[in-house]
Amino acid sequence: MPEYFAGIDIGSTMTKAVILSDRIIAFVIGPTGPEQRRLADKVMEELLDKADLPLKALTYIISTGYGRINVPFADKQVTEISCHAKGVVFLFPGARTIIDIGGQDSKGITIDATGRTTNFIMNDKCAAGSGRFVEVIADSLGIDLDRVGDISIQSNSPAQISNICTIWAQQEVAARLAEGTPVPDLLAGVHRSLADRVVRMVKRLKILPDVIFTGGGAKNKGLVQALEEYLDAKILVPPEPLITGALGAALLGKEIFHRAVSKNQLLETKPRRLETIQIL
Amino acid sequence: MAEEQRKPKKRMTATKAAASIGPMVKEFITGTNRARAEGKRKLAYTFIVCHHEEILRAMDVLPVWTENFAGICGVKRAAERFLQKAESLGFSRSLCTYALCGLGFDQWREELGEMPPDAPWGGQARPDFMISSGQILCDPRTKWYQAAQQFMPDVPIYNIDLPHPLFDPKKDHREVWGYYHKYIVDQLRGLVSFVEEQTGKKMDYDRLRELVALSDRTWNLVHETYELRQAVPCPMGTGDAMNTMVPLCFMMATQEAYDFYVNLKQELEEKIARGEGEVEDEKYRLLWGGGLPAWYALNDFNYLNSKGASFPAETTYRMVVPIYEMDIPETDDPIEHIAWKWLGYWTHWYDKARNRPGSEPDVERLIEYIENYKIDGVVMHLAFSCRTWHVGLIWQLHQLAKIYRPIPVLMLGGNGKGDKVQRELPSLILESDIIDITSYSEMDTRNKIDAFIETLESVRQTKAA
């Protein structure tokens, strides 16, 4: 009988879920939204539909991310740091450093060959160090977030964005736009500003290659380019950079389950029942 | 993201000694208010770690520790209204929040002519004079009382300058410390004259000599007591040490302080004999590698304890090295001895740093604790408003990573071949403030702690494998 393992990563902006056996069976990505944190079951339903599996087929489920405690059917909670590490080394066995830029935070993680975390650093204090920075600027320029990367890499002369606060940077961008600075230069400047801040944080760790970039920020080509410039290193990006946390959670579940089996230990699991927690 | 200003849960202590500190602090704060009302003793605003307690106590001056009062406001989550008061006076929130809290409180008290409503533990008594000292470390300590004079123009200030030779890997500090000693002695004698003038009393040098000797004995005892924490499991952690530092920092040159450490030492010896640790099942031994704590969030130590993490050592507030380990000249003059003790403490790790190319004294201190206390990871707290000390912490971690090489670990790589790696000592950097609770989020802090514990566990599993 095949074994299936699920990981669900409830981030501040996006919810990601993965089902795994000996390979990735299915994954889904959707917005967390103000109430979605409490509605993890909806995401799981969608994931099970996609995998064509019933909930009871899942052997072990791990939740991760900021909303990990709000997943009643998860058998275990693990922080996103450990899950990203595990997921990334599965995709890139040579990975030793991870940079993750999410919607509300950014992190640097150093890992060993087995995917174990050796050190980490997080910024969760300031929007200017997270994907929110780019989101706010894109919004104020009326540009779809998916397009900002492609537009910014057309720049030959990135603007200097000197404000370190998202709100003031938004004003600065508006002023530069009024002065006639081209949009690609403005966006390239915004990416450089974010990359500079994140690299300064991550440099507190011992950065070793391969450097892998994950999170929503990794879908932005302009940000990848800026990070490579500030790190002075080649950066690798997974095919779907948002799911590494959920993938790592599923992999950890598999590891935990097999360890328990090899030691003949009983592993506690939650009832396989989806329940919506009403908060309003 | 700011934590709401709800009443904090009481932090559980591992030792009876630490539990006894709250009433002790309350007593010395209310004691200063009683003394103010009686008018028999002079009160002086001042700062800890200035090596002048013996002088003050020998002349019956009662110190009012202004940083301590700000810390109490932080612990009780009552600082915000004093911070806001200071902001309304034009002081920036990015200044030292101890100073802001004190300035807000002082202005309010002076404006009302009585203590502000619901002042923690009866409030901070008005001083007769103020003794500032920025040492060479902390400029708010020099400027704070100057700013406070706006509200208390009749209260005089005396500033003592307490420098020490800066570390130079190519020079022996002893070549120049004689000059520093002469300067510090002059500063301290100037303080004696100032206090004589303020109190109308002459210094009793025999009494001063006795109090200096008592302080020396207490220093040695604190060191010996804290060294007991090398035991596995560790009988007392940093959470408790944030309490047990009180007699060392605020009550030196008193018999009460000495007796406190006699009792603490005995308590720790008994716990060690019973094999009793700070946590029931000690899994990880952590070093508090610097930074003042977030006083309103001391419960985070309990949270770490609940994950099996114990803190056998900390650099914060452990401002002693045993007198017998200091290479300082002997003298019968108590003022000269205080000055040598100052220099001996601040240069204590210089020789070690010189002997390890590329090292620095602060890093040597971390290495010493990491080795002696069998440390698995380092936790630091960056308090945004304390730039004088906290900005150096990340640099210290960088230096530590460059200089300190833990034992190499043989690991199996993805290719199945043996792979020798230098294992980093995991570190956790917490970021908030000493008393400004608006900079703190319990959820984010505990998320970081959870991730750190998982990191420590993964390192432990690799070592075991």
Side-chain angles (χ1 to χ4, degrees):
Chain A
M1 187 177 157
E3 290 159 352
Y4 297 103
F5 302 91
I8 178 161
D9 175 5
I10 305 200
S12 56
T13 310
M14 303 298 276
T15 294
K16 293 79 69 177
V18 170
I19 290 179
L20 180 91
S21 58
D22 53 347
R23 63 191 167 84
I24 296 172
I25 302 293
F27 70 86
V28 292
I29 300 168
T32 297
E35 299 302 326
Q36 287 295 311
R37 183 171 295 197
R38 310 291 181 107
L39 299 172
D41 60 321
K42 299 285 178 213
V43 176
M44 186 51 81
E45 262 175 18
E46 195 185 330
L47 180 68
L48 290 167
D49 272 355
K50 215 169 170 182
D52 197 19
L53 286 170
L55 182 65
K56 64 179 182 191
L58 299 180
T59 309
Y60 205 69
I61 306 169
I62 287 186
S63 61
T64 187
Y66 271 70
R68 64 184 178 275
I69 56 166
N70 298 315
V71 185
F73 51 83
D75 302 313
K76 190 177 170 65
Q77 287 86 34
V78 178
T79 68
E80 59 272 31
I81 299 287
S82 302
C83 291
H84 276 297
K86 194 55 86 179
V88 163
V89 91
F90 176 79
L91 299 169
F92 299 96
R96 292 297 175 272
T97 306
I98 303 167
I99 295 175
D100 182 89
I101 300 183
Q104 304 278 357
D105 70 7
S106 52
K107 358 179 176 0
I109 308 167
T110 53
I111 58 175
D112 65 25
T114 64
R116 284 183 180 150
T117 311
T118 52
N119 215 344
F120 71 95
I121 187 114
M122 289 170 86
N123 159 47
D124 46 28
K125 292 280 173 213
C126 176
S130 73
R132 184 78 187 136
F133 186 60
V134 180
E135 213 175 307
V136 166
I137 303 291
D139 192 46
S140 66
L141 291 172
I143 296 171
D144 192 57
L145 191 59
D146 294 342
R147 292 177 54 229
V148 294
D150 286 332
I151 296 172
S152 78
I153 56 175
Q154 296 165 19
S155 167
N156 291 320
S157 173
Q160 184 77 36
I161 305 296
S162 52
N163 272 296
I164 58 164
C165 164
T166 303
I167 303 302
W168 298 125
Q170 195 179 10
Q171 283 193 4
E172 189 180 346
V173 165
R176 293 290 183 88
L177 197 62
E179 285 168 7
T181 307
V183 170
D185 292 348
L186 282 175
L187 288 174
V190 166
H191 290 146
R192 287 166 63 93
S193 172
L194 176 56
D196 180 28
R197 206 176 326 281
V198 171
V199 167
R200 271 189 278 139
M201 176 186 77
V202 176
K203 276 188 172 171
R204 292 179 187 178
L205 307 172
K206 204 182 289 174
I207 300 175
L208 294 172
D210 295 344
V211 181
I212 316 298
F213 185 16
T214 63
K219 291 193 142 191
N220 179 333
K221 286 178 196 165
L223 192 51
V224 175
Q225 192 180 67
L227 269 179
E228 284 186 329
E229 192 182 319
Y230 278 88
L231 266 182
D232 195 20
K234 176 79 188 147
I235 285 175
L236 303 173
V237 178
E240 179 40 81
L242 266 85
I243 63 161
T244 49
L247 172 63
L251 286 162
L252 271 171
K254 189 174 178 180
E255 204 174 287
I256 289 167
F257 176 76
H258 285 149
R259 200 183 307 136
V261 169
S262 71
K263 291 181 180 172
N264 213 15
Q265 287 171 341
L266 190 67
L267 204 57
E268 273 187 39
T269 55
K270 292 281 169 60
R272 291 288 178 255
R273 184 171 68 231
L274 296 182
E275 278 178 68
T276 302
I277 299 174
Q278 298 294 344
I279 61 164
L280 292 175
Chain B
M1 303 272 274
E3 191 66 9
E4 68 178 285
Q5 296 218 14
R6 59 176 189 258
K7 199 177 172 196
K9 277 188 206 160
K10 198 170 164 37
R11 196 186 72 79
M12 301 302 293
T13 61
T15 58
K16 288 179 203 149
S20 72
I21 287 293
M24 205 182 272
V25 177
K26 188 172 185 179
E27 172 51 30
F28 71 65
I29 289 177
T30 52
T32 52
N33 283 313
R34 274 199 308 275
R36 175 85 266 162
E38 289 165 7
K40 290 178 188 162
R41 293 178 71 178
K42 295 288 185 187
L43 302 182
Y45 271 12
T46 197
F47 301 111
I48 63 168
V49 197
C50 292
H51 288 205
H52 61 340
E53 297 99 311
E54 295 85 355
I55 292 171
L56 299 180
R57 296 200 191 277
M59 301 188 78
D60 284 324
V61 170
L62 208 50
V64 178
W65 307 104
T66 48
E67 291 161 319
N68 173 243
F69 183 72
I72 294 299
C73 292
V75 168
K76 297 174 93 58
R77 299 194 174 187
E80 183 57 25
R81 61 199 174 116
F82 305 125
L83 297 174
Q84 286 178 9
K85 190 81 178 165
E87 267 187 310
S88 72
L89 300 167
F91 295 104
S92 163
R93 182 68 75 120
S94 60
L95 297 173
C96 165
T97 46
Y98 277 170
L100 282 186
C101 181
L103 290 167
F105 184 91
D106 281 350
Q107 192 275 340
W108 203 345
R109 185 193 60 214
E110 295 303 301
E111 182 183 73
L112 294 173
E114 60 183 24
M115 291 297 176
D118 302 319
W121 286 345
Q124 180 165 259
R126 191 179 203 272
D128 294 293
F129 52 90
M130 303 187 265
I131 303 163
S132 59
S133 176
Q135 306 146 332
I136 50 174
L137 169 78
C138 174
D139 55 312
R141 284 180 161 207
T142 307
K143 305 307 288 183
W144 177 346
Y145 296 163
Q146 290 174 15
Q149 262 188 337
Q150 290 178 62
F151 329 120
M152 300 182 285
D154 57 318
V155 180
I157 299 173
Y158 188 84
N159 184 71
I160 42 172
D161 196 16
L162 297 168
H164 56 79
L166 295 179
F167 176 69
D168 182 338
K170 292 180 192 143
K171 278 187 186 157
D172 187 335
H173 56 278
R174 280 162 286 245
E175 286 174 25
V176 293
W177 74 351
Y179 299 103
Y180 285 81
H181 183 259
K182 186 175 180 309
Y183 181 80
I184 294 166
V185 166
D186 285 348
Q187 291 287 307
L188 294 173
R189 293 203 197 287
L191 174 66
V192 171
S193 303
F194 173 78
V195 178
E196 284 179 337
E197 196 181 301
Q198 295 299 316
T199 59
K201 290 180 188 172
K202 294 301 283 181
M203 170 61 88
D204 176 346
Y205 280 94
D206 288 336
R207 191 173 173 213
L208 178 62
R209 195 170 289 110
E210 281 169 20
L211 291 179
V212 169
L214 176 60
S215 280
D216 283 1
R217 287 199 299 278
T218 309
W219 263 45
N220 293 340
L221 181 58
V222 172
H223 171 77
E224 288 155 15
T225 304
Y226 278 28
E227 290 283 275
L228 292 173
R229 294 163 62 196
Q230 291 180 13
V232 180
C234 166
M236 182 187 104
T238 298
D240 275 25
M242 292 300 173
N243 281 18
T244 60
M245 64 84 170
V246 164
L248 170 65
C249 294
F250 305 107
M251 296 161 67
M252 280 305 271
T254 68
Q255 187 62 40
E256 206 182 345
Y258 182 82
D259 292 344
F260 176 87
Y261 292 108
V262 169
N263 292 334
L264 177 60
K265 185 165 184 270
Q266 190 186 338
E267 189 182 351
L268 296 189
E269 283 165 345
E270 287 168 3
K271 285 189 78 172
I272 291 166
R274 292 195 298 270
E276 199 178 311
E278 178 195 16
V279 296
E280 213 172 295
D281 178 20
E282 181 181 286
K283 290 182 184 162
Y284 322 107
R285 294 170 67 85
L286 306 179
L287 168 66
W288 182 266
L292 299 167
W295 286 110
Y296 42 78
L298 292 177
N299 259 312
D300 286 342
F301 283 109
N302 281 157
Y303 186 71
L304 279 148
N305 293 158
S306 74
K307 308 279 177 186
S310 183
F311 281 86
E314 63 286 322
T315 54
T316 307
Y317 294 124
R318 187 170 168 172
M319 311 301 280
V320 291
V321 287
I323 307 292
Y324 48 80
E325 281 185 15
M326 281 186 189
D327 181 20
I328 53 174
E330 289 195 10
T331 170
D332 284 335
D333 183 321
I335 298 280
E336 292 207 358
H337 178 71
I338 292 172
W340 280 126
K341 197 163 123 182
W342 174 263
L343 290 166
Y345 173 76
W346 288 104
T347 58
H348 183 67
W349 284 273
Y350 281 20
D351 286 339
K352 276 191 177 176
R354 255 192 299 277
N355 291 333
R356 195 193 308 255
S359 190
E360 294 281 341
D362 288 337
V363 177
E364 283 302 319
R365 188 181 184 193
L366 293 176
I367 292 172
E368 185 178 304
Y369 290 169
I370 288 165
E371 294 296 330
N372 293 350
Y373 290 79
K374 305 176 191 73
I375 294 297
D376 300 310
V378 181
V379 179
M380 289 182 169
H381 175 232
L382 290 184
F384 80 88
S385 78
C386 181
R387 65 188 186 286
T388 41
W389 183 16
H390 295 71
V391 286
L393 294 177
I394 296 295
W395 177 84
Q396 285 177 30
L397 271 186
H398 280 174
Q399 293 300 109
L400 187 67
K402 278 186 209 162
I403 297 155
Y404 182 57
R405 291 281 181 265
I407 300 160
V409 179
L410 188 69
M411 286 178 21
L412 280 182
N415 55 4
K417 287 180 184 169
D419 185 12
K420 217 175 198 182
V421 297
Q422 296 288 347
R423 167 78 60 201
E424 272 192 83
L425 195 69
S427 56
L428 171 66
I429 298 160
L430 300 172
E431 289 173 88
S432 60
D433 185 48
I434 38 184
I435 61 172
D436 184 350
I437 198 170
T438 62
S439 64
Y440 176 75
S441 161
E442 185 175 278
M443 191 184 85
D444 291 339
T445 302
R446 296 199 171 177
N447 189 42
K448 281 186 185 176
I449 291 173
D450 289 349
F452 183 56
I453 293 292
E454 287 171 8
T455 304
L456 290 166
E457 183 56 29
S458 76
V459 171
R460 198 167 79 125
Q461 283 180 12
T462 307
K463 277 182 186 167

mmCIF file of all heavy atoms in Angstrom, chain B residues 1 101 110 147 167 205 217 237 252 259 267 284 388 390-391 411 430 463:
data_model
loop_
_atom_site.group_PDB
_atom_site.id
_atom_site.type_symbol
_atom_site.label_atom_id
_atom_site.label_comp_id
_atom_site.label_asym_id
_atom_site.label_seq_id
_atom_site.Cartn_x
_atom_site.Cartn_y
_atom_site.Cartn_z
ATOM 1 N N MET B 1 2.306 44.676 14.969
ATOM 2 C CA MET B 1 3.138 43.608 15.517
ATOM 3 C C MET B 1 3.419 43.830 17.002
ATOM 4 O O MET B 1 3.974 42.983 17.671
ATOM 5 C CB MET B 1 4.466 43.544 14.779
ATOM 6 C CG MET B 1 4.344 43.345 13.287
ATOM 7 S SD MET B 1 4.264 41.653 12.823
ATOM 8 C CE MET B 1 5.999 41.269 12.713
ATOM 9 N N CYS B 101 12.622 56.970 29.670
ATOM 10 C CA CYS B 101 11.680 56.616 30.734
ATOM 11 C C CYS B 101 11.960 57.481 31.975
ATOM 12 O O CYS B 101 11.051 58.056 32.567
ATOM 13 C CB CYS B 101 11.818 55.135 31.065
ATOM 14 S SG CYS B 101 10.704 54.548 32.341
ATOM 15 N N GLU B 110 8.203 66.358 38.665
ATOM 16 C CA GLU B 110 8.509 67.762 38.970
ATOM 17 C C GLU B 110 7.312 68.662 38.645
ATOM 18 O O GLU B 110 7.026 69.613 39.366
ATOM 19 C CB GLU B 110 9.752 68.217 38.193
ATOM 20 C CG GLU B 110 11.024 67.486 38.596
ATOM 21 C CD GLU B 110 11.333 67.618 40.080
ATOM 22 O OE1 GLU B 110 11.502 68.755 40.567
ATOM 23 O OE2 GLU B 110 11.407 66.567 40.772
ATOM 24 N N ALA B 147 20.143 66.503 30.762
ATOM 25 C CA ALA B 147 18.778 66.758 30.289
ATOM 26 C C ALA B 147 17.821 66.856 31.471
ATOM 27 O O ALA B 147 16.909 67.690 31.476
ATOM 28 C CB ALA B 147 18.340 65.654 29.324
ATOM 29 N N PHE B 167 41.974 48.032 23.435
ATOM 30 C CA PHE B 167 42.779 46.861 23.068
ATOM 31 C C PHE B 167 43.591 47.134 21.811
ATOM 32 O O PHE B 167 43.059 47.633 20.815
ATOM 33 C CB PHE B 167 41.861 45.661 22.839
ATOM 34 C CG PHE B 167 42.580 44.441 22.362
ATOM 35 C CD1 PHE B 167 43.451 43.768 23.204
ATOM 36 C CD2 PHE B 167 42.399 43.974 21.069
ATOM 37 C CE1 PHE B 167 44.133 42.635 22.763
ATOM 38 C CE2 PHE B 167 43.070 42.843 20.619
ATOM 39 C CZ PHE B 167 43.935 42.181 21.467
ATOM 40 N N TYR B 205 38.163 57.288 55.809
ATOM 41 C CA TYR B 205 38.923 56.385 54.936
ATOM 42 C C TYR B 205 39.049 54.967 55.508
ATOM 43 O O TYR B 205 39.188 54.006 54.754
ATOM 44 C CB TYR B 205 40.292 56.984 54.585
ATOM 45 C CG TYR B 205 40.140 58.005 53.464
ATOM 46 C CD1 TYR B 205 39.975 59.354 53.746
ATOM 47 C CD2 TYR B 205 40.124 57.605 52.133
ATOM 48 C CE1 TYR B 205 39.799 60.279 52.720
ATOM 49 C CE2 TYR B 205 39.942 58.519 51.102
ATOM 50 C CZ TYR B 205 39.780 59.860 51.402
ATOM 51 O OH TYR B 205 39.589 60.756 50.392
ATOM 52 N N ARG B 217 35.607 40.860 48.523
ATOM 53 C CA ARG B 217 35.180 39.522 48.939
ATOM 54 C C ARG B 217 33.908 39.123 48.182
ATOM 55 O O ARG B 217 33.749 37.979 47.761
ATOM 56 C CB ARG B 217 34.919 39.491 50.458
ATOM 57 C CG ARG B 217 36.178 39.542 51.316
ATOM 58 C CD ARG B 217 35.908 39.058 52.736
ATOM 59 N NE ARG B 217 34.927 39.857 53.451
ATOM 60 C CZ ARG B 217 35.181 41.009 54.084
ATOM 61 N NH1 ARG B 217 36.411 41.497 54.087
ATOM 62 N NH2 ARG B 217 34.224 41.658 54.722
ATOM 63 N N GLY B 237 19.976 29.342 35.649
ATOM 64 C CA GLY B 237 20.187 29.902 34.317
ATOM 65 C C GLY B 237 20.185 31.417 34.290
ATOM 66 O O GLY B 237 20.061 32.077 35.332
ATOM 67 N N MET B 252 26.338 46.654 46.107
ATOM 68 C CA MET B 252 27.734 46.370 46.470
ATOM 69 C C MET B 252 28.125 47.202 47.683
ATOM 70 O O MET B 252 27.519 48.227 47.974
ATOM 71 C CB MET B 252 28.652 46.673 45.292
ATOM 72 C CG MET B 252 28.664 45.559 44.271
ATOM 73 S SD MET B 252 29.077 43.938 44.929
ATOM 74 C CE MET B 252 30.841 43.975 44.759
ATOM 75 N N ASP B 259 26.037 38.409 51.935
ATOM 76 C CA ASP B 259 25.250 37.303 52.504
ATOM 77 C C ASP B 259 24.351 36.660 51.451
ATOM 78 O O ASP B 259 24.127 35.448 51.469
ATOM 79 C CB ASP B 259 24.388 37.814 53.674
ATOM 80 C CG ASP B 259 25.245 38.227 54.860
ATOM 81 O OD1 ASP B 259 26.431 37.845 54.902
ATOM 82 O OD2 ASP B 259 24.736 38.957 55.746
ATOM 83 N N GLU B 267 22.818 27.256 48.029
ATOM 84 C CA GLU B 267 21.651 26.698 47.332
ATOM 85 C C GLU B 267 22.075 25.951 46.062
ATOM 86 O O GLU B 267 21.592 24.859 45.781
ATOM 87 C CB GLU B 267 20.657 27.825 46.988
ATOM 88 C CG GLU B 267 19.336 27.266 46.460
ATOM 89 C CD GLU B 267 18.328 28.357 46.061
ATOM 90 O OE1 GLU B 267 18.562 29.545 46.336
ATOM 91 O OE2 GLU B 267 17.307 27.974 45.460
ATOM 92 N N TYR B 284 19.933 21.306 25.907
ATOM 93 C CA TYR B 284 20.822 22.270 25.255
ATOM 94 C C TYR B 284 21.329 23.272 26.289
ATOM 95 O O TYR B 284 20.564 23.732 27.122
ATOM 96 C CB TYR B 284 20.077 23.038 24.146
ATOM 97 C CG TYR B 284 19.112 22.194 23.368
ATOM 98 C CD1 TYR B 284 17.737 22.344 23.550
ATOM 99 C CD2 TYR B 284 19.560 21.234 22.470
ATOM 100 C CE1 TYR B 284 16.834 21.556 22.859
ATOM 101 C CE2 TYR B 284 18.662 20.445 21.775
ATOM 102 C CZ TYR B 284 17.290 20.606 21.974
ATOM 103 O OH TYR B 284 16.403 19.814 21.291
ATOM 104 N N THR B 388 25.116 51.900 22.084
ATOM 105 C CA THR B 388 26.493 51.876 22.577
ATOM 106 C C THR B 388 27.017 50.468 22.789
ATOM 107 O O THR B 388 28.180 50.209 22.569
ATOM 108 C CB THR B 388 26.615 52.638 23.894
ATOM 109 O OG1 THR B 388 25.483 52.327 24.692
ATOM 110 C CG2 THR B 388 26.702 54.110 23.690
ATOM 111 N N HIS B 390 24.873 47.386 22.046
ATOM 112 C CA HIS B 390 24.278 46.329 21.250
ATOM 113 C C HIS B 390 24.770 46.283 19.814
ATOM 114 O O HIS B 390 24.748 45.220 19.208
ATOM 115 C CB HIS B 390 22.763 46.442 21.310
ATOM 116 C CG HIS B 390 22.236 46.202 22.696
ATOM 117 N ND1 HIS B 390 22.416 47.107 23.709
ATOM 118 C CD2 HIS B 390 21.588 45.160 23.234
ATOM 119 C CE1 HIS B 390 21.873 46.626 24.813
ATOM 120 N NE2 HIS B 390 21.369 45.449 24.562
ATOM 121 N N VAL B 391 25.196 47.407 19.270
ATOM 122 C CA VAL B 391 25.672 47.356 17.879
ATOM 123 C C VAL B 391 26.916 46.485 17.748
ATOM 124 O O VAL B 391 27.201 45.982 16.680
ATOM 125 C CB VAL B 391 25.986 48.758 17.298
ATOM 126 C CG1 VAL B 391 24.727 49.514 16.994
ATOM 127 C CG2 VAL B 391 26.899 49.547 18.213
ATOM 128 N N MET B 411 30.691 14.155 8.483
ATOM 129 C CA MET B 411 29.308 13.927 8.086
ATOM 130 C C MET B 411 29.261 13.168 6.780
ATOM 131 O O MET B 411 30.153 13.284 5.960
ATOM 132 C CB MET B 411 28.610 15.275 7.864
ATOM 133 C CG MET B 411 28.302 15.979 9.136
ATOM 134 S SD MET B 411 27.547 17.541 8.799
ATOM 135 C CE MET B 411 26.930 17.353 7.175
ATOM 136 N N LEU B 430 17.760 37.851 18.943
ATOM 137 C CA LEU B 430 16.441 38.394 19.234
ATOM 138 C C LEU B 430 16.515 39.902 19.077
ATOM 139 O O LEU B 430 17.543 40.505 19.403
ATOM 140 C CB LEU B 430 16.017 38.033 20.660
ATOM 141 C CG LEU B 430 15.934 36.529 20.958
ATOM 142 C CD1 LEU B 430 15.693 36.285 22.445
ATOM 143 C CD2 LEU B 430 14.833 35.881 20.133
ATOM 144 N N LYS B 463 25.750 15.238 15.740
ATOM 145 C CA LYS B 463 26.876 14.884 16.613
ATOM 146 C C LYS B 463 26.712 13.464 17.128
ATOM 147 O O LYS B 463 27.667 12.703 17.191
ATOM 148 C CB LYS B 463 26.939 15.855 17.796
ATOM 149 C CG LYS B 463 27.658 17.158 17.484
ATOM 150 C CD LYS B 463 27.713 18.020 18.719
ATOM 151 C CE LYS B 463 28.302 19.377 18.387
ATOM 152 N NZ LYS B 463 28.093 20.336 19.480
#
